Every structure is written in C-alpha cells, then in structure tokens.
Amino acid sequence: LISIPRDLWVELAPSGYGRINAAYSRGGIRGDGSVDEEKGAEFAKGKIEEILGIPIHYWVVVDFGGFREVIDSLEGVEVCVERTFDDYLYPVSGKERAALSQRYEHLHFEAGCQLMDGETALKYSRSRTGTNQEGSDFARVRRQQNVLLALKDRVLSLNLLFDAQKIISLYQRLAESQKTNASLGEAQKALELAGKFSAPGESEVRSLVLDPDSGLVYHPSNPAPYGGAYVLVPTAGNFEKIHAAVRGLLFAAEEEEGEE
C-alpha cells in the first residue's frame, strides 16, 4: 500500500511541471474545459508509473459519493483510530459561500477500534485540520490507509469470493459512482487472489508513505522555482531512490526467504 503526496512535483508534459494532484485534470482536459475521466486516469497512471518505477495495470476513480457507497454497501468498516482528535474546521459540503459560522462543522474521533459508516469514514479520511498531530496531509494519508485496510478486511470477511451473485450486484451498484478500467471478471480474479494470500487480521500489509519522514522526498526552502507553491521533490533529484524503496517494499518477503 503506497501513498503519494498530492504536492509531489513532477513533469506533466506537454504542459510543463506541476504537482501530481494536477495530473488527472491536465491529462483529461477537453477543449470545452470538461475532463475526460478515462484519459485523465490513464495520464495520471503514467505519471505514477514514472514515480514508482513499476507498471500499473488497473485504476479506479472514486468520488466522495462513491467512497460512501462502497462502505455503506458493505454495512460499514471497523477502523482503529490511532489517537483521539478534534477538527473544528471540517468543510460542510454546499456551504462554501455561506457565513463563516456555517461553513464548518466540528469533528471528534475517539481513539480505539469502531464501526464507521460511509459518511463517518469519509470525514475521518478527509480531515485536514485536526488536533493532536492529526492536522497534516501526511497524517491524513495514514488515516486513509487505515480505512483501506479496514475495507480490505471487511470485503474478505464477507466471503464475497464464494458468492458470484453478490459480487455482480456490488459491482453494478458501484459502477454508477466510480470509473475503472477493470472488468467484472478482472475484479473477481483480484478478489480470488486476495483471498488466497490474505485473511482478515492475519496478514501483514506493507505500506509506504512518500513523506519527508521517509527520507525520499523533501520540501525545498526556496519555493521560487516552483511558482511559489508548497511542493515536495525527490531527495535524489530523480525517482531512483523511490524506485529502490518500492522494489524493497514489494519484494522484501522474497529477499527474506532467499536469505533463509
């Protein structure tokens, strides 16, 4: 499980350089200003391949509604909150132009494992101004990884592998709120592989967040070359160290077996 920070500075040819979170829109922009989702996803996929140094075969584009739908369709996920925190500035959807007193809501999460529905999990994943060391993009990324791991455990615990009709029904429901280049058959094969190699609460999921703590990226002190924006750049000046870290993450188990 690898998370790429939105502020990572990359080449977005043919439109110059920018942060990775612009890849999807730049790659899919149409003449009328709308975005072609498939072209945007394919362009972003190519950039991710350059950063990580591995091929990416499938992609999924999920909006907030799709995120909620995925979790609610599985009757919630159990997420283990690492630390108690509050967020007093969580944006209320549709209230962006309202009075300041109406634009935000107060979120509170207690430490410990708890069942979250789609809306709660979305707020937990999106919160950016939390207290108790939960107010950074990197803390948010780790929370998002927690939700994905909880989602993985939930899917496997429901024994979807042995209920083809349930898989088809779930796929059809989600197809309305997300886009993917994976067919139903390919999604089912992925579930079958996941079932063979992992079980809820029993398997280790190796993870990596490309943040400054990883030693793989840093925030340059002079933002002028980057249009004055806050950005992250690779410490080696290129993605070679990131490629090596990804290879180590993916093949560490094989290397350990080889040493034995």
Side-chain angles (χ1 to χ4, degrees):
L1 183 59
I2 303 170
S3 294
I4 298 174
R6 63 178 188 160
D7 295 318
L8 188 64
W9 190 253
V10 295
E11 183 179 5
L12 298 176
S15 56
Y17 285 78
R19 291 181 288 194
I20 188 62
N21 68 336
Y24 174 72
S25 59
R26 288 201 194 180
I29 194 71
R30 296 190 179 101
D32 61 1
S34 62
V35 174
D36 182 314
E37 292 180 322
E38 184 170 345
K39 286 185 177 180
E42 287 292 337
F43 183 75
K45 179 178 78 71
K47 296 295 112 181
I48 300 302
E49 290 177 331
E50 293 174 14
I51 294 168
L52 301 183
I54 56 174
I56 305 293
H57 301 101
Y58 302 106
W59 50 260
V60 181
V61 179
V62 184
D63 61 17
F64 294 155
F67 183 95
R68 289 190 292 262
E69 175 71 13
V70 168
I71 293 176
D72 287 341
S73 67
L74 298 172
E75 298 181 356
V77 293
E78 185 175 24
V79 179
C80 293
V81 178
E82 181 179 349
R83 58 175 69 91
T84 299
F85 72 94
D86 290 271
D87 184 347
Y88 297 93
L89 294 173
Y90 185 81
V92 178
S93 179
K95 295 291 185 69
E96 293 81 5
R97 298 181 180 277
L100 282 177
S101 61
Q102 301 175 15
R103 291 185 193 179
Y104 307 102
E105 66 174 295
H106 171 209
L107 303 182
H108 176 79
F109 290 95
E110 285 287 334
C113 298
Q114 51 206 270
L115 184 66
M116 294 187 182
D117 61 12
E119 182 66 23
T120 304
L122 178 64
K123 291 178 178 179
Y124 175 74
S125 301
R126 287 190 66 203
S127 172
R128 294 181 57 195
T129 54
T131 60
N132 199 17
Q133 304 177 55
E134 291 292 338
S136 71
D137 276 344
F138 307 121
R140 179 173 63 162
V141 165
R142 289 184 172 82
R143 279 185 264 114
Q144 291 168 353
Q145 287 194 346
N146 287 343
V147 172
L148 288 174
L149 292 174
L151 183 60
K152 181 267 297 183
D153 284 349
R154 182 60 173 163
V155 167
L156 295 179
S157 71
L158 293 176
N159 292 321
L160 290 180
L161 312 181
F162 308 106
D163 192 335
Q165 189 56 47
K166 187 177 290 186
I167 293 177
I168 293 172
S169 176
L170 180 60
Y171 185 91
Q172 291 174 337
R173 286 179 62 187
L174 299 182
E176 299 177 1
S177 56
Q178 65 181 10
K179 301 292 182 182
T180 180
N181 66 336
S183 67
L184 172 60
E186 288 165 329
Q188 189 166 1
K189 287 179 181 177
L191 279 174
E192 291 171 357
L193 284 172
K196 289 179 181 179
F197 292 105
S198 60
E202 296 179 3
S203 62
E204 176 191 1
V205 175
R206 300 175 187 271
S207 64
L208 172 66
V209 177
L210 299 181
D211 62 6
D213 288 342
S214 71
L216 299 172
V217 300
Y218 72 98
H219 168 54
S221 57
N222 179 17
Y226 312 98
Y230 175 93
V231 301
L232 295 167
V233 296
T235 54
N238 55 47
F239 298 123
E240 289 183 4
K241 285 188 176 180
I242 294 177
H243 293 178
V246 170
R247 287 195 298 270
L249 188 75
L250 294 177
F251 305 115
E254 293 180 12
E255 293 174 359
E256 290 170 3
E257 290 177 3
E259 292 174 359
E260 293 175 1

